[in-house]
Amino acid sequence: MGVQLVVLSRFLSASQLGLAALALMILGVAALISDFGIGRILIKEQGDLGPLRTSLYSLELALGVGVWILVWIGSPAISHYYAAPELARLLRLGSFCLLIIPIGHQFYSLLSRDLLFKKLAIIEIVSSIAGLAIAIVAAVRNEGAYAPIWGWAATLSIKYLLIAFVGWRQYPLALTWKVRGLLPHLKFGLYATAETTIGYISTNIDYLVIGFYLGPQELGYYVLAYQVATSAPQKIAPILGRVAFPMFARQQANDSLLRAGYLDFSQLATVLTLPLLAGLLITAPLLVQVVFGIAWERSILIVQLLTIFGVGRMIVIPAVPLLLAKGRADLAFASGALYTSTIFVVFLLIIEMGLQAVAGAFAVISCCHALCMLFLMRWVIGLDLWNYLLSIKTTLAATFWMSMAAYLVVAQTVVSVQPAGRLLAAVLIGGVTYATYMAIADRRIALLVQGLFYRPLRVE
């Protein structure tokens, strides 16, 4: 979970957190639309597009302005729709970031394509720290729902301005524009944008439905639970996706290498997220009480249900980058659209049953979606599902023993220990159990984790 969420939960009420989350979700969709898949076009093509890149850069700047205008004009209507007058001001405050993101977004994609992740990591750390500081200061000054918006906008603005400063020097743009040959790229970009937007909405559609039918306060309890339960997949998915897409794109014509790479990235996703999700499922009652306070106890069961959603999300992480690398943005879009429409219909049917019903439904549907994506991988690249299970068997076993150790600590009543002490003991003992088992059972996994940060995975 992020430090920002921990701090803000001590200063914001549930309704303020819910209102901010709703605004950030809408602004996130706007940012995705203004991208128009241009970053993925550059990564997929690998080579230098010359004047076409200048045309794409100009298009992205224009889209940023256009989407900003739409958000500014449409904010009152959105605010009226959700019966939340303050939402319009939040949207307009955060929307200025939409003008800044396109300045550096293309260079972000080029740095990712060339695997220059050290530069990106430094920039992202600096921008995240700055955004965190701004959000905390705003929260301490009793800015309420505005604090997360200030933090979000500051983080992205600083990030893309710094990337633009680096990118303009490393990837200078031609002073000529070229329109001929642009249409096929835009077609791919349209599908990629649709897929990304659908995927984003599908993981945030619960915010939309809860915010409309149950109000900002109920949404606030759900948002905290969702952010805690899915923090591991949310943090790890962009890292793996950023590495996986350019690597898959380099081997897009070789299905055997794609299968090997898919198994590697799936194993990494499992190693990095599954123990965290299992540990969270077990320690959620202590974690919420100790970290966020008793005011958020209503979120405990929702956290536990949504960890199952995190498992489904974990399985899907490498699938979309592979489909895009194969040029099958249409399949990625279709699968995402089906998933989103299913969630939307189910949520409308059960929303009156409350937050726990929504969380449970989300968990079941996400796991079904994960299974469908595995079968899609079998069709696209000939993935053997038995080999997939074998690739993660060590992680499954290690997670089982870790979970047993953590549960015994959490459930023990013989020794009187304060909740904070029990939580710390469960984390330490479970972590040592997991690490020890993994080190003994399969050292190759440790090398894969190291390779994520220090060397490429199977790109020969």
Side-chain angles (χ1 to χ4, degrees):
M1 85 203 66
V3 176
Q4 181 172 310
L5 180 64
V6 175
V7 175
L8 294 183
S9 67
R10 295 289 181 171
F11 291 93
L12 273 64
S13 66
S15 60
Q16 289 173 331
L17 183 61
L19 196 60
L22 195 58
L24 290 176
M25 195 280 299
I26 296 169
L27 291 170
V29 173
L32 289 176
I33 294 173
S34 64
D35 165 46
F36 202 73
I38 291 172
R40 292 183 171 185
I41 292 172
L42 296 171
I43 293 175
K44 178 181 179 296
E45 293 303 321
Q46 296 291 305
D48 184 10
L49 296 177
L52 276 178
R53 191 162 68 85
T54 305
S55 301
L56 291 172
Y57 187 79
S58 302
L59 176 61
E60 196 165 5
L61 289 175
L63 285 170
V65 174
V67 173
W68 171 75
I69 292 173
L70 288 176
V71 171
W72 188 272
I73 295 174
S75 294
I78 297 173
S79 175
H80 178 73
Y81 181 77
Y82 280 97
E86 197 173 11
L87 182 59
R89 293 190 291 273
L90 292 172
L91 289 173
R92 286 181 170 178
L93 171 63
S95 67
F96 78 86
C97 190
L98 301 175
L99 299 172
I100 298 176
I101 291 175
I103 297 174
H105 186 265
Q106 183 179 120
F107 303 116
Y108 173 88
S109 302
L110 292 171
L111 290 168
S112 298
R113 183 196 67 184
D114 296 337
L115 308 180
L116 300 176
F117 298 122
K118 184 177 180 180
K119 290 184 179 180
L120 290 175
I122 293 173
I123 291 173
E124 290 182 348
I125 289 172
V126 171
S127 59
S128 296
I129 292 174
L132 173 63
I134 290 172
I136 291 175
V137 169
V140 172
R141 290 173 57 87
N142 294 319
E143 295 289 336
Y146 290 89
I149 306 299
W150 279 115
W152 177 84
T155 298
L156 292 183
S157 298
I158 295 171
K159 171 183 172 180
Y160 284 104
L161 287 175
L162 290 175
I163 288 175
F165 178 78
V166 173
W168 271 102
R169 296 183 174 187
Q170 189 158 347
Y171 304 101
L173 288 164
L175 297 179
T176 57
W177 287 260
K178 183 178 179 182
V179 178
R180 187 175 181 181
L182 192 62
L183 186 60
H185 299 302
L186 294 181
K187 181 180 179 181
F188 175 85
L190 178 62
Y191 274 116
T193 301
E195 180 279 322
T196 305
T197 305
I198 288 293
Y200 185 84
I201 293 175
S202 68
T203 55
N204 291 277
I205 199 168
D206 44 349
Y207 286 16
L208 290 171
V209 176
I210 293 171
F212 180 77
Y213 285 97
L214 302 182
Q217 182 170 353
E218 292 295 288
L219 178 59
Y221 290 115
Y222 185 89
V223 166
L224 184 131
Y226 181 88
Q227 293 297 321
V228 171
T230 64
S231 58
Q234 283 182 345
K235 294 294 188 299
I236 293 168
I239 298 174
L240 291 182
R242 187 171 62 194
V243 177
F245 185 30
M247 289 187 175
F248 287 155
R250 291 183 177 186
Q251 303 295 343
Q252 56 190 275
N254 191 325
D255 283 354
S256 62
L257 285 178
L258 287 177
R259 286 194 295 271
Y262 183 85
L263 291 178
D264 280 345
F265 279 101
S266 295
Q267 192 173 42
L268 277 172
T270 306
V271 168
L272 295 172
T273 59
L274 189 58
L276 297 176
L277 293 169
L280 182 59
L281 177 66
I282 294 168
T283 62
L286 292 176
L287 180 72
V288 172
Q289 179 183 354
V290 172
V291 176
F292 300 101
I294 59 174
W296 296 94
E297 286 186 345
R298 282 192 57 197
S299 298
I300 292 175
L301 182 56
I302 305 170
V303 169
Q304 293 175 314
L305 290 170
L306 288 176
T307 55
I308 303 172
F309 162 78
V311 173
R313 173 67 175 159
M314 171 197 71
I315 295 173
V316 175
I317 286 174
V320 172
L322 189 144
L323 289 174
L324 294 173
K326 290 285 287 183
R328 298 310 305 266
D330 54 339
L331 288 179
F333 166 71
S335 62
L338 179 61
Y339 175 57
T340 302
S341 59
T342 301
I343 290 174
F344 183 67
V345 171
V346 172
F347 281 2
L348 289 180
L349 293 175
I350 67 170
I351 186 63
E352 298 298 334
M353 299 172 63
L355 298 179
Q356 295 174 6
V358 171
F362 213 174
V364 173
I365 296 172
S366 68
C367 290
C368 292
H369 178 237
L371 291 175
C372 292
M373 293 302 286
L374 286 176
F375 281 103
L376 185 58
M377 290 299 99
R378 181 179 183 181
W379 180 68
V380 173
I381 60 172
L383 178 68
D384 188 294
L385 298 183
W386 180 248
N387 286 340
Y388 173 81
L389 292 175
L390 289 177
S391 71
I392 62 174
K393 67 175 184 179
T394 303
T395 309
L396 294 174
T399 301
F400 171 78
W401 291 114
M402 179 215 73
S403 301
M404 291 297 296
Y407 176 77
L408 291 175
V409 174
V410 171
Q412 73 85 27
T413 56
V414 177
V415 181
S416 178
V417 182
Q418 294 296 318
R422 277 199 293 161
L423 176 63
L424 181 60
V427 171
L428 290 176
I429 293 174
V432 169
T433 302
Y434 180 81
T436 302
Y437 187 98
M438 293 296 291
I440 295 174
D442 193 346
R443 291 191 60 211
R444 178 178 175 275
I445 295 179
L447 296 177
L448 280 173
V449 175
Q450 180 183 359
L452 174 64
F453 300 100
Y454 297 106
R455 61 179 175 81
L457 295 173
R458 296 189 182 184
V459 295
E460 296 84 0

